[in-house]
Each structure stands twice: as structure tokens, then as C-alpha cells.
Amino acid sequence: MEEPQRGIRAVHTTSTITVYQAYSPEIGLSAVREGRFPTAWKRDRMTWIKPSFLWMMYRCGWGAKAGQETVLAVEITRDGFEWALRHACLSSYVRGVHPDRATWQRQLKQAPTRIQWDPERDLHLQALPYRSLQLGLAGEAARRYADEWTVSISDVTPLAREIRTLVGNGDLDSAARLLPQELPYLPADELPAHLCP
């Protein structure tokens, strides 16, 4: 079956969705121990969450990049994720979607969340011809994410390293079997057209 050009693929249940982030061990391991983001986690900064495991691996280099050595699977409420989608603005100006650049800039400044569609990745972290969601959370959205929406936080760094080793050894079948089983996620309300240009 052909993948839609833009879509949300994620591990999800009837009440939660799993997103990925990578941090230094000081932040990441503390979050895993406490089951929530520690006070050292800056709630006033924009943070990007990714439902795609392989996109996170591309971004953090399988947990090898400095400051991104601890890869987290963060299970959050669907209600919170849906709130973020409803309050989002595209992270970049798109002619024909926005009336003009100034209108988009005003929307972007006011929106607590940003949507970005980036090429999905394969096991070699090469770009695929369809895109996956990244969601930027700022202000109210970042605070809600850290303090209200988070259900659990798991360290998936060992999984990332195991899959990377299998890929490096050319055992793609075994690597693929270990991947989180991401399925299409359908928001309760269809994403507005201006968020899926």
C-alpha cells in the first residue's frame, strides 16, 4: 500500500501516543528515573517531538551526537497531542496556503505549536519519498507536555544501539523486526488543509 505524502505514523493506543526525543544523559536519565521531565528541563524553550523512531535516529545519529546520547520514548496523552495539533501553525511560509508572509509570521508568533513535515527515513537513515510529522512545542504547549501530558518516559537508547549494530552488520530483517510498530495515527479531527500543504 502506498504511503500518503504526509502522515502521522506512531505507536499509539486508544488514550496515548509515543513520541521521541534525545537529550544529554543528565536530562534524559533523570527524566527516566523520575518518570517526568526534571526542573532542569527548560519549559520556556521550544522542544520538538517526533512520532517517528527512525526520524529521531536520523536526528540524533542513533544516540551518538553530543547532547543527544539518551534517546527517550515519551508516552503522552492523545488529548494533549490533539490539543497541540489544533493549536499549530506551519513552521515555514507556504505560498498559496498562507495569504501572505506577514499573516503567517503573525500566526507563527501566536501559535504555541509548530508543524514541520520532514522526509521519513529508512533503516540506513536515507530519505523516503513521503514525510512524517515533527511537532514543535513552545510556551504553554511545552509546559503542558512536560507537566500534564506525559504518561511515561522510557530509555530506548539500548534499542537504538542494537538496531544500529544490526544495520551495520547488514542484518536489515532483524533490525526491522526490532523497530517500534508505528501505525497510521488519525487525529480525532482531520488536520486542517493549511497544516498539510
Side-chain angles (χ1 to χ4, degrees):
M1 190 173 94
E2 190 173 327
E3 290 283 350
Q5 178 60 28
R6 286 172 177 78
I8 304 171
R9 286 166 290 278
V11 173
H12 56 87
T13 69
T14 55
S15 60
T16 65
I17 179 170
T18 298
V19 296
Y20 300 95
Q21 295 194 289
Y23 290 102
S24 66
E26 294 78 25
I27 296 289
L29 295 179
S30 176
V32 171
R33 274 193 311 273
E34 296 177 26
R36 63 187 305 273
F37 288 98
T39 52
W41 190 85
K42 294 184 173 35
R43 285 153 173 79
D44 56 348
R45 287 182 51 190
M46 173 151 306
T47 190
W48 289 87
I49 59 176
K50 302 148 188 74
S52 166
F53 179 82
L54 283 175
W55 208 96
M56 185 70 252
M57 295 307 100
Y58 166 73
R59 179 69 180 83
C60 72
W62 298 103
K65 289 186 180 177
Q68 299 184 55
E69 302 91 344
T70 306
V71 184
L72 303 179
V74 184
E75 189 179 19
I76 64 173
T77 65
R78 282 179 78 128
D79 287 345
F81 188 73
E82 301 270 343
W83 184 95
L85 293 176
R86 284 194 308 276
H87 291 82
C89 177
L90 282 177
S91 65
S92 56
Y93 170 73
V94 179
R95 184 187 305 273
V97 170
H98 304 103
D100 53 59
R101 189 174 291 275
T103 301
W104 165 74
Q105 286 174 329
R106 279 194 304 276
Q107 291 172 347
L108 189 67
K109 191 172 185 180
Q110 295 169 352
T113 55
R114 297 178 183 183
I115 282 182
Q116 191 165 302
W117 296 100
D118 293 298
E120 181 56 279
R121 300 288 159 167
D122 65 15
L123 279 166
H124 293 289
L125 306 184
Q126 299 300 307
L128 291 168
Y130 51 90
R131 294 177 178 265
S132 285
L133 176 87
Q134 272 199 84
L135 199 54
L137 310 175
E140 180 183 3
R143 290 189 295 276
R144 286 182 175 223
Y145 169 68
D147 300 324
E148 297 175 23
W149 303 342
T150 299
V151 174
S152 68
I153 302 176
S154 305
D155 183 357
V156 291
T157 313
L159 175 65
R161 291 181 179 148
E162 185 176 1
I163 294 173
R164 179 186 60 189
T165 298
L166 289 167
V167 171
N169 292 337
D171 191 352
L172 298 185
D173 289 341
S174 295
R177 282 193 292 273
L178 292 179
L179 288 174
Q181 295 303 298
E182 295 168 0
L183 299 171
Y185 177 94
L186 301 175
D189 300 317
E190 190 172 337
L191 277 179
H194 73 277
L195 295 178
C196 301

